[in-house]
Amino acid sequence: EAGVAQSPRYKIIEKRQSVAFWCNPISGHATLYWYQQILGQGPKLLIQFQNNGVVDDSQLPKDRFSAERLKGVDSTLKIQPAKLEDSAVYLCASSTNPLPTDTQYFGPGTRLTVL
Amino acid sequence: AQSVTQLDSHVSVSEGTPVLLRCNYSSSYSPSLFWYVQHPNKGLQLLLKYTSAATLVKGINGFEAEFKKSETSFHLTKPSAHMSDAAEYFCVVSDSNYQLIWGAGTKLIIKP
């Protein structure tokens, strides 16, 4: 079974530029999560999707971050414009069930550096 | 409010010796507790999960954790460390809305 795929693996941009990350979850997984992991910290949930609907985006900085999962399969997370403090690893996870306490399967992450 | 504290940012042990990674939590009710592991350049992986059944939980790769309500602890142990155990370990607690609260992580270093 293929795991969660993310691309790109690394991205370096300058502040005020825009960037997009892509995630393809495990086939059949209806629930998809985006996390931000700043160096030295645990992951912080940004947004949770159930199929193509948003379940929780309470911690998503909506003035600059957006995410979509239009067909209920793969998803894109965008930052526009980027700030220095957005430097982090962005993790995508998927699950068969909608409760965050159910097992989540994580991708390798995208490491973003904002200069 | 729920919170989780991993007491050590780094733990260094010799190969073949026991591993102890410490985690304390704060919760106003009986939470679910998890340990996740993150190997370099790999995705986070669930090691084990406590959900109010047996207090001693066995996970993958020989790890286990014991839920101690009186001490509000959920320490992770392994009898004998292997070089492949070198990774970062995260203790996680769920809140009343099933949202996950992650600890800051403990980096486990294995000395040959």
Side-chain angles (χ1 to χ4, degrees), chain B residues 4-50:
Chain B
V4 59
T5 302
Q6 293 186 243
L7 296 162
D8 306 292
S9 60
H10 293 78
V11 169
S12 180
V13 302
S14 297
E15 190 175 21
T17 65
V19 174
L20 170 63
L21 304 183
R22 298 182 296 165
C23 173
N24 285 110
Y25 69 92
S26 169
S27 177
S28 56
Y29 75 110
S30 197
S32 294
L33 292 155
F34 311 78
W35 278 97
Y36 274 83
V37 60
Q38 189 173 36
H39 286 93
N41 296 315
K42 291 191 176 179
L44 282 154
Q45 181 183 20
L46 180 66
L47 262 184
L48 50 81
K49 175 165 71 171
Y50 167 77

Side-chain angles (χ1 to χ4, degrees), chain A residues 82-93:
Chain A
K83 292 186 175 182
L84 296 177
E85 58 261 36
D86 299 332
S87 293
V89 177
Y90 290 85
L91 301 168
C92 179

